[in-house]
Amino acid sequence: MKALLLKVKWNKGQTENGTQYDYCRVTLQLPVFEGAVNEFGVDSADYEYGNAESHNKLLHLKGKLPVEVDVDYQQVKKGNQTLNQIISLKPSSSKPI
């Protein structure tokens, strides 16, 4: 699917109660469903893009966002939550990153 890559964020550490975290997330701009009765336009959603080290694959885009990308993702379960996990992400006119 095509989308606009708006933001890349990552973090690694541990909370005060000892829970560890290690993630990279990307925010994509997506069109609102054309058949929606009560809304139109665009919205944004966060997608999981691996651990904090994964942001290194996207550093060459720093200062160039937003950029159109081709994205493949799958839905995964994390506890009771359903997350969107990136399978592949590449700028629309470039090689995979």
Side-chain angles (χ1 to χ4, degrees):
M1 98 176 159
K2 290 205 181 289
L4 273 182
L5 176 59
L6 302 175
K7 180 170 73 171
V8 178
K9 62 182 173 181
W10 64 94
N11 207 346
K12 182 177 182 176
Q14 183 174 332
T15 63
E16 290 179 8
N17 69 2
T19 303
Q20 295 193 9
Y21 53 89
D22 185 4
Y23 66 86
C24 180
R25 292 188 185 112
V26 297
T27 303
L28 301 177
Q29 178 179 297
L30 308 166
V32 171
F33 174 60
E34 287 183 18
V37 178
N38 296 324
E39 64 180 340
F40 61 90
V42 295
D43 206 342
S44 63
D46 287 338
Y47 289 74
E48 301 297 313
Y49 190 67
N51 61 20
E53 288 297 314
S54 298
H55 84 278
N56 289 316
K57 298 176 191 173
L58 304 174
L59 279 177
H60 68 284
L61 297 174
K62 188 173 183 175
K64 299 177 183 174
L65 300 183
V67 65
E68 188 175 78
V69 292
D70 291 314
V71 177
D72 289 322
Y73 71 95
Q74 66 183 1
Q75 289 191 322
V76 296
K77 292 289 283 181
K78 182 178 180 183
N80 292 330
Q81 226 178 353
T82 300
L83 303 174
N84 294 316
Q85 183 177 38
I86 301 284
I87 297 169
S88 72
L89 174 76
K90 63 179 180 173
S92 291
S93 61
S94 187
K95 46 188 164 173
I97 52 178

